[in-house]
Amino acid sequence: MYSNVKISRYLLIMPIFLISPVKAEDSPTLPSNISFSVQPQQCVTLRQGRNCYATLTIQWQKLTEQALCLHQINTKQANSQKELFCWPKGNKGETSVSFESSDNLTYQLRTLEDKKLIAETEMVVSWVHKSTTRKRRWRLF
Amino acid sequence: MLVLTMLVKIIHLLNSKQRLTCLFTALYFALATTSYAAQETQLTAITHANSPIVKDNFEWQVMLDLSLVSTPQILADVKQTETIDYVHLGILLDISYKGFFLQSNSRRSSTIIGSGEIGYQLSVQNDWELDLIIKTYIDGFDPKEIIRDQKQQIPQLEGLYERGFTEGIALRYSQFFDNSIAYVDLAAALTDKNKQGDYTSGIIIDSFYSYLIPYRNWDIYLGAGLTYYDKSLVDYYFGISADEVSNARALHDAKSAFRAQLEVYVQYPLYKSWSFNASLTQTFYSNSIKHSPLVDENKLTQLMVGVLYVF
């Protein structure tokens, strides 16, 4: 897993734009020595409100070894946090995730032991046609 | 139907700009006089669960279409000759307000090639809708222009009078199902003036069924249509009058005709505001059209591949 990509340790400590700030109450001091990416970053659906489907490649690298878990959160739905995958102790990881949602979803890396937030990024859902009250007409015509 | 025919005649005398002006004037009067009605309708919708659905509010959508289209022609020996003949660039506009609407059927390849509808929602219910529609049902053709564009001689068309477009005013009944819609138009149609300055009128019954299969990010529409054309209309386009008879064209009195269509249309989102669309349409015309000296093939396969930008 992730063996064909070599990234220098210098690159690892560079700030990566994919890492977004987290909520202050959740983790006021987010570690900066990690890269965390979700590709693609955007899923496009034909109409606003419809589920968007994509296969995401999720990668992370860290200077120090740690056992981490991948969490998926829908901020529009309360208590919708799901633990998707956990990696054993290491300094990098990669996995594929099936994305199926009409809302933006946040992906977080948390420690296995104490669930401390390490990094997060958002998968954005956009659309071609806006939602309309003329659903039936514009859906089929 | 007589009233509808008279309306068609009036509409026929207007050009596209005047028709749009009429529509927006009607929209203006609807706006100016129905401010109370709007509140009343909303209240009605809340208080009576089985009451009719409120008519469309103000909605609009503008789309830019760029597509490559292979469109075999029903007229004998007429072909797409230049590369530009395959390229279609168009603006599709959907707008509605208080039951009035102007719409383009962007889920059918025929619209990509160009056909809009102006209408008014007479009744909107949960499962069905009744609309008054004005649209062009049959495109015309100018033999002189066709001959000028074609690389080969087409004796069947030489000296033939121009056939104008046919517009119709129709009552459209639409029935909605979970993932499909069926509609039927009963149209009073009127052709453009012929060489003698006369209009030809007739009935068109146009029906279509469209079934949507959403598959992941794809929309797949399977469609089937059946259209009936009155004898007078078919004769206007495909009949040969005594003064049009030539060595390549015998006198021909056309009968009423049917058109059947099968269609697959797919749409896929490429990026925000951009989608890919493609379609395959198989059209069959009845033998009454095939028997015309102007026609040698009554089975046509149309292919379209393009992109759509939504503003």
Side-chain angles (χ1 to χ4, degrees):
Chain A
M1 203 159 55
Y2 203 56
S3 58
N4 57 342
V5 180
K6 290 182 180 174
I7 301 173
S8 78
R9 294 174 71 86
Y10 294 108
L11 281 175
L12 289 177
I13 56 170
M14 287 176 68
I16 307 279
F17 72 94
L18 293 173
I19 300 172
S20 60
V22 294
K23 289 174 189 172
E25 66 273 18
D26 204 354
S27 176
T29 52
L30 184 69
S32 60
N33 61 346
I34 184 167
S35 71
F36 178 45
S37 70
V38 175
Q39 292 294 333
Q41 289 177 273
Q42 182 175 247
C43 185
V44 186
T45 185
L46 279 171
R47 184 165 300 284
Q48 183 181 11
R50 179 169 152 179
N51 268 1
C52 198
Y53 298 84
T55 301
L56 309 182
T57 301
I58 294 178
Q59 296 175 330
W60 63 270
Q61 282 208 7
K62 203 169 175 296
L63 286 176
T64 54
E65 290 195 342
Q66 206 164 14
L68 298 175
C69 290
L70 179 70
H71 291 247
Q72 178 183 277
I73 295 148
N74 186 340
T75 50
K76 283 193 176 175
Q77 295 171 14
N79 304 319
S80 71
Q81 183 165 322
K82 272 199 296 188
E83 190 177 277
L84 299 179
F85 191 82
C86 286
W87 288 271
K89 195 172 181 182
N91 62 1
K92 61 185 176 185
E94 179 180 337
T95 190
S96 289
V97 170
S98 289
F99 179 89
E100 182 183 342
S101 174
S102 57
D103 299 320
N104 296 353
L105 294 184
T106 300
Y107 288 92
Q108 294 182 335
L109 275 182
R110 289 178 178 269
T111 55
L112 178 64
E113 286 178 359
D114 54 5
K115 306 295 178 195
K116 186 184 169 193
L117 182 62
I118 301 295
E120 73 173 1
T121 187
E122 190 176 39
M123 176 68 174
V124 176
V125 174
S126 56
W127 46 84
V128 178
H129 301 278
K130 278 186 294 186
S131 178
T132 167
T133 54
R134 304 180 86 216
K135 278 177 189 165
R136 287 181 305 208
R137 186 185 300 283
W138 281 357
R139 187 175 178 193
L140 291 157
F141 281 88
Chain B
M1 197 48 77
L2 183 66
V3 177
L4 290 181
T5 310
M6 283 174 66
L7 268 170
V8 171
K9 282 187 180 173
I10 294 165
I11 291 157
H12 218 278
L13 296 173
L14 307 174
N15 60 32
S16 325
K17 198 176 171 185
Q18 288 168 324
R19 279 175 211 142
L20 277 174
T21 308
C22 285
L23 176 75
F24 286 110
T25 307
L27 280 169
Y28 170 78
F29 282 113
L31 271 170
T33 58
T34 56
S35 56
Y36 281 111
Q39 294 169 16
E40 212 172 278
T41 316
Q42 281 179 350
L43 282 173
T44 310
I46 293 163
T47 51
H48 304 291
N50 295 322
S51 65
I53 295 169
V54 179
K55 289 176 183 175
D56 290 340
N57 260 325
F58 180 66
E59 304 269 3
W60 66 273
Q61 184 172 242
V62 180
M63 291 169 281
L64 184 68
D65 160 64
L66 178 63
S67 48
L68 293 172
V69 186
S70 166
T71 50
Q73 301 295 307
I74 192 166
L75 296 172
D77 299 331
V78 178
K79 292 177 176 65
Q80 290 170 287
T81 52
E82 307 289 337
T83 310
I84 195 74
D85 294 342
Y86 292 88
V87 179
H88 286 261
L89 180 66
I91 291 177
L92 307 176
L93 172 67
D94 287 335
I95 187 164
S96 69
Y97 192 79
K98 291 194 183 296
F100 289 94
F101 60 83
L102 192 156
Q103 67 182 11
S104 53
N105 182 351
S106 57
R107 306 295 192 277
R108 285 210 60 199
S109 55
S110 56
T111 299
I112 299 297
I113 295 154
S115 127
E117 296 171 344
I118 296 172
Y120 180 72
Q121 296 173 312
L122 297 172
S123 180
V124 184
Q125 306 290 328
N126 270 324
D127 299 331
W128 60 271
E129 184 173 322
L130 190 65
D131 301 325
L132 193 63
I133 298 274
I134 298 166
K135 66 180 276 191
T136 299
Y137 278 91
I138 308 171
D139 291 325
F141 59 89
D142 182 356
K144 282 182 194 162
E145 222 170 84
I146 292 172
I147 289 167
R148 199 168 49 237
D149 290 344
Q150 295 292 306
K151 287 178 180 168
Q152 57 172 353
Q153 293 293 311
I154 307 174
Q156 297 97 314
L157 296 182
E158 277 172 19
L160 194 76
Y161 298 142
E162 182 181 348
R163 267 66 164 161
F165 54 84
T166 291
E167 288 213 69
I169 183 161
L171 279 175
R172 167 173 293 174
Y173 174 80
S174 305
Q175 180 73 46
F176 305 110
F177 307 98
D178 283 346
N179 267 348
S180 63
I181 183 173
Y183 75 77
V184 60
D185 289 3
L186 175 60
L190 198 69
T191 66
D192 209 347
K193 282 180 196 170
N194 62 16
K195 195 73 179 172
Q196 289 75 38
D198 299 324
Y199 294 100
T200 303
S201 62
I203 300 292
I204 294 175
I205 302 171
D206 185 33
S207 63
F208 198 78
Y209 176 77
S210 182
Y211 183 78
L212 168 64
I213 303 170
Y215 175 71
R216 292 178 68 84
N217 295 332
W218 288 87
D219 267 1
I220 303 162
Y221 293 87
L222 303 179
L226 187 65
T227 309
Y228 165 81
Y229 300 101
D230 225 350
K231 171 187 161 40
S232 55
L233 298 173
V234 182
D235 197 45
Y236 170 75
Y237 286 97
F238 299 107
I240 304 297
S241 59
D243 53 348
E244 288 180 320
V245 170
S246 71
N247 288 337
R249 291 187 301 258
L251 187 73
H252 182 70
D253 185 25
K255 294 174 184 167
S256 59
F258 285 92
R259 180 190 67 178
Q261 286 187 307
L262 294 173
E263 186 169 284
V264 180
Y265 178 93
V266 296
Q267 198 178 15
Y268 182 79
L270 293 173
Y271 195 67
K272 190 176 179 180
S273 299
W274 285 95
S275 68
F276 163 82
N277 50 343
S279 74
L280 173 67
T281 307
Q282 180 65 47
T283 304
F284 307 89
Y285 289 97
S286 59
N287 283 335
S288 48
I289 286 181
K290 193 185 179 185
H291 291 157
S292 165
L294 305 179
V295 175
D296 59 7
E297 182 58 69
N298 65 338
K299 298 180 191 74
L300 305 173
T301 307
Q302 183 189 70
L303 274 165
M304 184 274 294
V305 177
V307 288
L308 206 62
Y309 178 79
V310 181
F311 290 93

